[in-house]
Amino acid sequence: MTSVTSTPSVNHLSLRQRLALRGIDGVTLLVLPAVIFLLAVFIYPFIYGLILSFEPKEGGMFANYQKFFSDPFLYDTILTTLWLAVPVTLISIAISLPVAFRVRLMTHQRLLTTILVLPVTLGTVLVAEGLLNYLGPQGWFSRTLMMIGMIDSPVKLTNNYWGVFASLIITGFPFTFLLTLSYVSGIDPALEQAAATHGAKSWQRFRYVMWPLLVPGLTIAFCLSFVQAFAVFPSAVLLGAPAGPTRVISIAAYQAAFEQYDYSMASAIAMIMAAVQLLIVVSLLSIRNLFYRGSTAGGKG
């Protein structure tokens, strides 16, 4: 006798069962609030701003972009912002790397990490105000140097490039340090010990063992820190010269929106700002693919 097993028709299944067959179950629906938040806060504003940038007050569809790239007062803001963001990011990583190597071996790692990331809690504006009092013409720094006879007149470190630079280093270092520490701590110490066992010196261990493993992670740290520094605004206004050497691209967007009330032009500047960041990030991530991207753990495999 042959037994025939009948498969229930899909039409007789409940809605929950039909959704489960398509991979949509209760666990999948937990992602829904995050997706809605992402669409409402990031995707929709970006698309709206992109469309608005092609609706200029005067001229054709690309009038805003033509105006930006034909006016040196506008397109020079890209170079000004890069001249701030790139050195700040490089120096932050250069400082974070040796500090992270040292901190990972310390007993009181959490305490020192908390102290190092403390500037994050202060905020950009508070740091800028503190630097105005410390680095200003009548600040402690200049007065101390004059008191010990190193200089005769106050050093000008505010309302210029260096004031903004110092602020970005102070506020950006904790973020870069935490990222770097996570990558450094993720590398198995046994790999370095194995190299030492084979006679590799400290520089050789770093150059041939640690550095290839760190480059992919440091690239991500550079990208995230760069994006943060590229969006500089309060520091450039409070510590820099917004109409001069620290007129960054975010200030140009602000002036277009809230001084000229040209929201279409402001959206175009924001899109250009996003494009520059995206170009640099994609380039760095492409270079990262040339390095080792496997496991950083020890053991046989």
Side-chain angles (χ1 to χ4, degrees):
M1 179 180 293
T2 304
S3 61
V4 179
T5 304
S6 60
T7 303
S9 174
V10 176
N11 295 329
H12 293 85
L13 297 177
S14 65
L15 176 62
R16 182 177 179 179
Q17 291 173 323
R18 290 200 297 270
L19 290 175
L21 290 175
R22 291 174 173 80
I24 303 175
D25 53 15
V27 178
T28 307
L29 293 177
L30 292 175
V31 184
L32 190 59
V35 172
I36 294 174
F37 179 82
L38 186 66
L39 290 172
V41 178
F42 295 101
I43 306 300
Y44 170 74
F46 178 81
I47 295 176
Y48 178 79
L50 181 62
I51 296 173
L52 186 61
S53 69
F54 292 108
E55 298 176 351
K57 287 184 175 181
E58 300 176 354
M61 183 178 179
F62 298 98
N64 287 328
Y65 295 94
Q66 292 173 351
K67 178 181 177 181
F68 182 90
F69 289 106
S70 63
D71 187 353
F73 191 62
L74 288 174
Y75 67 70
D76 280 349
T77 58
I78 297 178
L79 295 178
T80 300
T81 312
L82 288 173
W83 183 240
L84 272 169
V86 173
V88 163
T89 307
L90 289 173
I91 291 176
S92 295
I93 289 193
I95 298 174
S96 299
L97 194 56
V99 174
F101 270 103
R102 182 59 183 168
V103 169
R104 72 166 183 160
L105 301 175
M106 298 183 67
T107 305
H108 303 289
Q109 182 183 127
R110 292 184 180 179
L111 177 60
L112 184 57
T113 302
T114 302
I115 295 173
L116 289 174
V117 302
L118 189 61
V120 170
T121 64
L122 301 179
T124 307
V125 175
L126 187 58
V127 170
E129 290 181 354
L131 287 176
L132 283 173
N133 292 326
Y134 181 73
L135 298 178
Q138 300 301 320
W140 300 345
F141 184 74
S142 291
R143 284 189 293 177
T144 301
L145 293 181
M146 288 190 293
M147 183 178 64
I148 61 179
M150 292 187 64
I151 57 175
D152 297 325
S153 59
V155 181
K156 186 173 177 58
L157 294 174
T158 55
N159 303 114
N160 55 18
Y161 175 89
W162 297 110
V164 183
F165 185 87
S167 176
L168 288 177
I169 290 289
I170 293 173
T171 56
F173 168 77
F175 179 71
T176 308
F177 167 72
L178 287 176
L179 290 174
T180 306
L181 180 62
S182 66
Y183 294 125
V184 171
S185 301
I187 297 178
D188 193 338
L191 298 174
E192 192 175 4
Q193 293 169 4
T197 302
H198 286 81
K201 297 181 179 180
S202 58
W203 168 249
Q204 292 174 322
R205 295 196 299 270
F206 176 79
R207 170 66 180 83
Y208 296 106
V209 178
M210 304 297 290
W211 180 249
L213 297 175
L214 280 172
V215 167
L218 290 179
T219 303
I220 299 296
F222 183 95
C223 292
L224 295 176
S225 300
F226 168 78
V227 169
Q228 184 183 39
F230 196 84
V232 55
F233 181 78
S235 300
V237 174
L238 296 173
L239 287 166
T246 63
R247 187 172 186 268
V248 293
I249 192 170
S250 58
I251 292 179
Y254 173 84
Q255 290 175 337
F258 300 106
E259 293 182 10
Q260 303 167 9
Y261 298 103
D262 190 348
Y263 297 107
S264 178
M265 185 63 192
S267 297
I269 296 175
M271 293 300 111
I272 294 171
M273 184 177 177
V276 172
Q277 295 177 84
L278 183 63
L279 178 63
I280 292 178
V281 169
V282 170
S283 301
L284 289 173
L285 293 180
S286 299
I287 296 173
R288 184 191 67 161
N289 294 333
L290 301 176
F291 292 85
Y292 178 79
R293 292 183 296 163
S295 173
T296 57
K300 298 179 181 180

